[in-house]
Amino acid sequence: MARATTDRAAPAAAPPLDGAALERLALAYVGRYATTRARLRAYLARKLRARGWGGEGPAPVEALIETCVRLGYVDDRQFAAARAGALGRRGYGARRVGDALRAAGIDEADGADAREQAGDAAWETAIAFARRRRIGPFAAVAADQDGRRRALAAMLRAGHPLDIARKLVGAAPGEVPNHEHAAS
């Protein structure tokens, strides 16, 4: 059956952005998402590519970002701490936390405390990951060599140090190793 045609016009293209429109977009974005300077910069650049710039001079992207930082809408240190905490609770290690912070555009200075806390909690996050994935002491039955190899690979992908991952993967079901002996 043929589709009926309508006389509707195609939607009009959005007008180019001006300073006020760019500011509204920035405020809407930071109001909706916990974000970083880098992510806000990328978002505004995408919007400018899509709609163009119709204002005077260059688009004030950096000035808008600094205003959002000054007002407390964007805080890279707080974002880093929250992201590191969330990943740690899910059982991800310090290397994976560092990767996530770099991907979010957090610089070394703003992410230093979060990276340090992730490193300090290495044993606890490895235990959480092993528990969630039923590895080593949290498995129902002892894994064969291939199962231990896969479990070790999973722990390494999750960002855990090799010594801790080996200790947990090699543990018998029900026997959680002591933290002091994790580095041996």
Side-chain angles (χ1 to χ4, degrees):
M1 193 168 182
R3 191 175 235 185
T5 59
T6 62
D7 290 332
R8 282 194 241 170
L17 294 169
D18 60 5
L22 193 63
E23 184 176 350
R24 281 192 304 273
L25 284 172
L27 290 174
Y29 187 77
V30 299
R32 185 168 183 180
Y33 303 106
T35 192
T36 65
R37 291 174 187 199
R39 286 185 175 176
L40 179 57
R41 184 177 296 111
Y43 171 76
L44 294 174
R46 268 193 323 273
K47 291 300 182 180
L48 285 166
R49 276 192 308 275
R51 291 183 50 187
W53 175 246
E56 296 283 324
V61 172
E62 291 304 318
L64 276 172
I65 292 169
E66 290 310 312
T67 299
C68 288
V69 168
R70 190 180 73 252
L71 294 173
Y73 300 152
V74 174
D75 186 343
D76 286 0
R77 285 180 190 267
Q78 185 178 14
F79 181 92
R83 176 60 51 93
L87 290 171
R89 285 186 299 278
R90 290 176 44 205
Y92 289 105
R95 186 181 47 78
R96 186 78 177 262
V97 168
D99 292 347
L101 295 181
R102 276 187 294 284
I106 303 291
D107 65 25
E108 291 298 317
D110 286 335
D113 290 341
R115 286 183 182 89
E116 183 179 334
Q117 288 174 357
D120 292 346
W123 179 254
E124 292 80 13
T125 59
I127 289 286
F129 186 81
R131 181 178 290 122
R132 186 167 60 96
R133 295 287 299 266
R134 295 182 178 95
I135 292 172
F138 305 103
V141 296
D144 61 1
Q145 184 176 357
D146 195 44
R148 286 191 304 272
R149 182 184 53 77
R150 285 193 309 271
L152 182 65
M155 291 202 69
L156 294 177
R157 281 191 308 272
H160 297 291
L162 180 61
D163 59 335
I164 292 176
R166 280 186 175 157
K167 190 73 169 180
L168 287 172
V169 168
E175 297 179 15
V176 179
N178 292 330
H179 173 54
E180 304 85 46
H181 303 290
S184 60

